Amino acid sequence: MMKNKIVFLVLICFLLVVLALSGCSYNNQSDYGDQYIHGMDAQCFSHIHNVTASDKGFYSFYSQDFDDDILKFMDKKTRKMIPVCSKPNCNHNDNTCDAYYRSVLSLALYNDKIYIVAGGTKEYSVSLYKANMDGSGKEEIKTLYMRNGDASLEFEFIIHRGYVYYVANQIEQKRKESTQILYRTSLDSSDEKEELLAITGYSPLIYISAIRGNRMCLYSRWYEDKDMTINKEQNYEMDIRSNQCGKLDLPGNCEIGYCDEDKIICSMECRDEEERESSIDIFSRDGKRLSSTKCLISSEIGYDEKYIYRNDCDEEVVKENRAIKVFSHDGKQVSEIKNPKGYRLLWSDSTDLFLQKRNEDDSFSYSILSIDELLNLEELD
C-alpha cells in the first residue's frame, strides 16, 4: 500500500511539473539571450514602418493611390526595383496582384515569410497578412484590430522571436478618457492575445521605440485632463520573458532608437520652436548622459548595429548644406557626406543602406549603397 502511495505522489508531482511547463510555453524565450539574432529579432532601423530588409535586398511599399499600395523589392545585385508578384503578365493595379494591398500600415520579414499589416476584408478591419518572399501564397491570417472610421490610426508593429507585438494608437476626435494597450500575439490564426502594457488618460499613445534581445523600450504620452493642458510622458523598458515593465530614468522628450546591454541611444526633441534644435544623446542604463550632439529638429535619424545616421535633408536647409552624418555608438562623428539632392536613408541591414530620392516630378528613385561605399563618399549624387 505504501509503495502505491509513493508511485501516486510521484505521478502527481510529474503532472504538476508538466502543467507548469505548458503554462509557460507561450512565452518561453529564456534561451535566446540579449544579443541580436539575425533572422529572429525585429529590424528597428528607424520609425519608418513600410520598409524591411532580407539578405538579398530591400522590401518597400509604393503608394499608387490613397488606399492602394504595391509591395516592391530592390535586389542588391541588379539594383532593380520590381513588384513582389509571382504572376506573369500582371498589371499590378488591383487585388488580383500578389503585390497589391490596401492601406498598408507596416511590414516585416520573419522566417522567410513576408508579414504585412493592412486593411482587412472586413470593413474597418486591420489585418495581418502573410506571403512567400516572391509574393505568392498571400493569405489574410487574422484581424488584429477594428478601427473607428472617424479616428486616425498610428499602428506600431514588430515581429520579434516568434511573436507579434503591436499597438493600435487610435486617435479619436472626441475628448474622452481611454486606455491604450500594447498586445502580444502569435503568428498563426489564433485570436488569443496578451495585454503587456496599458496606459489610461486623454489621447494616450504607446510607441515601440526599440528592441534588442530580451529588452523592449517603449515610450508613452497622454494628457491628464480633458482640456489637454497637462501633458505626461514616460519611457519604459520591458523584459519580454517575464513581461516585467519598469520606468526608464530618461527625459520625457527622449525618442529612443537603439538599446543594448550598456546604453540607450536616442534623439532629444527641443520643445522650443524658435531654437529648432534637437540632439542625439547617449545614456547609460542608470540614466547618466554619456554624450550629446546637436542637430536640426527635423533631422531624420537611424540606427543599426554599427552606426548612427543623421540625415539633414530639411527643405529649409540650403541644398549645399544638406548632409548625411555618420556617428559611432559612442557619439563620435565618423563621416560627413554632402547630400544636395536630399537622399533619405530609409533602412539599413548593418551591411547595406537603402536610400530614396524625390525627383523634380515628385516621383521617387531608390538606391542601395554598402556602408563602406557611403563612408568613402564625399557627396551623394
Side-chain angles (χ1 to χ4, degrees):
M1 182 66 70
M2 180 61 70
K3 183 179 180 180
N4 290 338
K5 287 184 177 179
I6 292 173
V7 172
F8 179 75
L9 289 172
V10 170
L11 287 172
I12 290 296
C13 290
F14 176 77
L15 287 171
L16 289 172
V17 170
V18 170
L19 287 171
L21 289 174
S22 64
C24 296
S25 62
Y26 184 74
N27 188 28
N28 184 16
Q29 305 188 57
S30 58
D31 294 333
Y32 294 145
D34 282 325
Q35 295 298 317
Y36 178 82
I37 303 175
H38 178 72
M40 288 189 65
D41 288 8
Q43 301 176 24
C44 297
F45 175 70
S46 72
H47 295 291
I48 298 173
H49 292 131
N50 64 345
V51 184
T52 191
S54 72
D55 292 336
K56 295 181 179 180
F58 294 87
Y59 290 84
S60 179
F61 271 99
Y62 172 78
S63 294
Q64 294 196 146
D65 203 344
F66 181 72
D67 286 325
D68 298 339
D69 298 296
I70 296 295
L71 178 62
K72 291 194 172 184
F73 175 73
M74 186 171 225
D75 187 275
K76 288 185 179 182
K77 290 183 178 179
T78 66
R79 298 296 202 265
K80 291 183 178 179
M81 193 85 158
I82 60 172
V84 184
C85 180
S86 63
K87 297 179 179 179
N89 303 317
C90 181
N91 292 322
H92 314 303
N93 59 4
D94 58 34
N95 58 13
T96 63
C97 172
D98 288 339
Y100 177 93
Y101 293 85
R102 185 173 57 84
S103 302
V104 170
L105 295 170
S106 202
L107 167 67
L109 298 183
Y110 189 81
N111 197 23
D112 296 327
K113 298 290 183 182
I114 306 169
Y115 290 88
I116 299 102
V117 177
T121 52
K122 299 175 185 177
E123 188 176 13
Y124 297 127
S125 65
V126 174
S127 293
L128 178 64
Y129 292 83
K130 179 174 72 172
N132 296 319
M133 301 291 277
D134 64 353
S136 64
K138 180 171 70 173
E139 61 176 310
E140 184 178 4
I141 300 174
K142 57 185 170 184
T143 298
L144 293 177
Y145 192 75
M146 296 298 296
R147 63 186 298 174
N148 182 335
D150 296 328
S152 58
L153 184 66
E154 295 181 4
F155 209 88
E156 293 287 296
F157 168 87
I158 62 169
I159 298 175
H160 186 75
R161 302 190 172 184
Y163 295 97
V164 174
Y165 296 83
Y166 71 96
V167 184
N169 283 312
Q170 187 159 253
I171 306 170
E172 299 190 26
Q173 301 300 319
K174 296 179 181 179
R175 295 185 180 182
K176 60 180 181 179
E177 194 173 47
S178 59
T179 299
Q180 196 58 260
I181 300 171
L182 167 68
Y183 293 105
R184 176 170 55 214
T185 186
S186 65
L187 281 168
D188 58 27
S189 60
S190 169
D191 289 329
E192 182 182 359
K193 58 188 177 183
E194 296 176 278
E195 295 185 8
L196 301 181
L197 176 66
I199 301 294
T200 299
Y202 292 90
S203 295
L205 301 170
I206 299 174
Y207 295 99
I208 301 172
S209 301
I211 189 165
R212 182 184 171 89
N214 297 314
R215 297 184 175 98
M216 179 188 294
C217 292
L218 304 157
Y219 166 76
S220 181
R221 70 172 185 261
W222 66 96
Y223 291 94
E224 287 195 334
D225 61 323
K226 187 176 181 179
D227 294 331
M228 298 185 179
T229 59
I230 306 174
N231 181 51
K232 294 291 183 180
E233 298 172 280
Q234 182 61 57
N235 288 286
Y236 301 91
E237 184 175 60
M238 175 177 289
D239 187 321
I240 62 172
R241 299 161 300 175
S242 65
N243 300 345
Q244 295 297 310
C245 189
K247 295 179 179 180
L248 282 169
D249 186 19
L250 297 172
N253 59 335
C254 172
E255 186 175 332
I256 300 171
Y258 183 90
C259 61
D260 60 21
E261 300 86 351
D262 303 316
K263 59 186 173 295
I264 295 171
I265 307 174
C266 55
S267 58
M268 303 286 293
E269 180 185 346
C270 176
R271 299 300 164 83
D272 188 341
E273 289 297 326
E274 291 184 3
E275 290 187 23
R276 291 192 59 77
E277 280 191 348
S278 183
S279 63
I280 299 172
D281 287 48
I282 301 174
F283 294 89
S284 62
R285 285 266 161 198
D286 59 4
K288 180 181 178 182
R289 184 180 271 106
L290 303 177
S291 69
S292 180
T293 305
K294 287 187 176 181
C295 56
L296 296 172
I297 197 169
S298 57
S299 295
E300 297 175 331
I301 300 172
Y303 313 80
D304 62 21
E305 294 293 301
K306 294 181 178 179
Y307 298 108
I308 307 166
Y309 304 87
R310 197 184 88 196
N311 193 26
D312 296 340
C313 61
D314 193 310
E315 293 295 330
E316 295 184 15
V317 178
V318 178
K319 287 186 177 182
E320 288 73 17
N321 294 334
R322 295 178 188 172
I324 293 174
K325 296 183 179 180
V326 186
F327 301 84
S328 62
H329 279 195
D330 59 5
K332 296 179 181 177
Q333 184 169 320
V334 174
S335 182
E336 179 174 348
I337 303 97
K338 292 181 179 179
N339 183 21
K341 294 185 178 179
Y343 279 94
R344 294 180 66 197
L345 294 179
L346 293 181
W347 211 254
S348 169
D349 62 0
S350 297
T351 301
D352 294 287
L353 296 159
F354 185 46
L355 300 92
Q356 179 193 70
K357 179 185 69 173
R358 182 186 289 274
N359 301 313
E360 291 183 0
D361 61 357
D362 285 337
S363 64
F364 291 100
S365 299
Y366 296 87
S367 302
I368 295 176
L369 279 177
S370 72
I371 293 175
D372 291 338
E373 284 179 297
L374 181 77
L375 295 180
N376 288 316
L377 286 176
E378 293 185 359
E379 181 174 320
L380 271 170
D381 56 7

